[in-house]
Amino acid sequence: MINKTLKKEISKIDNFEDMNELIRLVKAQRAIVQSTATAKAKAKFTVGSKVRFFSKEKGWLTGPITKIKIKRAKVMIKDSGQWDVPLTMLEAV
């Protein structure tokens, strides 16, 4: 959660140079947070782990992991084949 002091300081920015620097810093921090979340998710799973994830088209899908990649895992879904799913979307069953 962003505190009031930080919001106040951001609202004081009045030039593009400072705004672009802030955007660069936020993007860098987002990459660090995403990398950490992916690493934590990757540590929870192994090939063969049974997982589930939500698909907008098909709802909740469940199946075993067949391959773990850097940021994604291949999950075999009965009747649907292999799905390439972000590790952060997977839940252990």
Side-chain angles (χ1 to χ4, degrees):
M1 176 145 201
I2 298 177
N3 65 34
K4 291 179 183 179
T5 305
L6 184 55
K7 287 181 182 180
K8 195 174 195 179
E9 290 302 313
I10 291 171
S11 70
K12 292 179 183 177
I13 296 173
D14 62 356
N15 63 71
F16 286 112
E17 185 177 310
D18 290 344
M19 183 61 71
N20 288 335
E21 177 67 11
L22 176 62
I23 291 168
R24 187 191 65 73
L25 291 169
V26 169
K27 286 180 177 182
Q29 186 62 32
R30 179 178 56 192
I32 291 168
V33 170
Q34 180 63 41
S35 178
T36 302
T38 299
K40 285 180 183 177
K42 192 172 187 176
K44 291 193 301 188
F45 304 115
T46 60
V47 172
S49 296
K50 193 166 184 178
V51 295
R52 75 179 193 151
F53 61 94
F54 188 79
S55 163
K56 289 180 183 178
E57 297 86 25
K58 301 209 178 207
W60 285 101
L61 299 171
T62 304
I65 293 176
T66 58
K67 181 177 181 178
I68 297 178
K69 300 188 282 183
I70 294 171
K71 294 183 180 182
R72 302 173 83 81
K74 293 222 178 232
V75 181
M76 179 57 77
I77 304 298
K78 191 175 186 178
D79 302 328
S80 295
Q82 292 241 357
W83 287 62
D84 199 28
V85 184
L87 288 164
T88 55
M89 286 182 58
L90 297 176
E91 295 179 8
V93 176

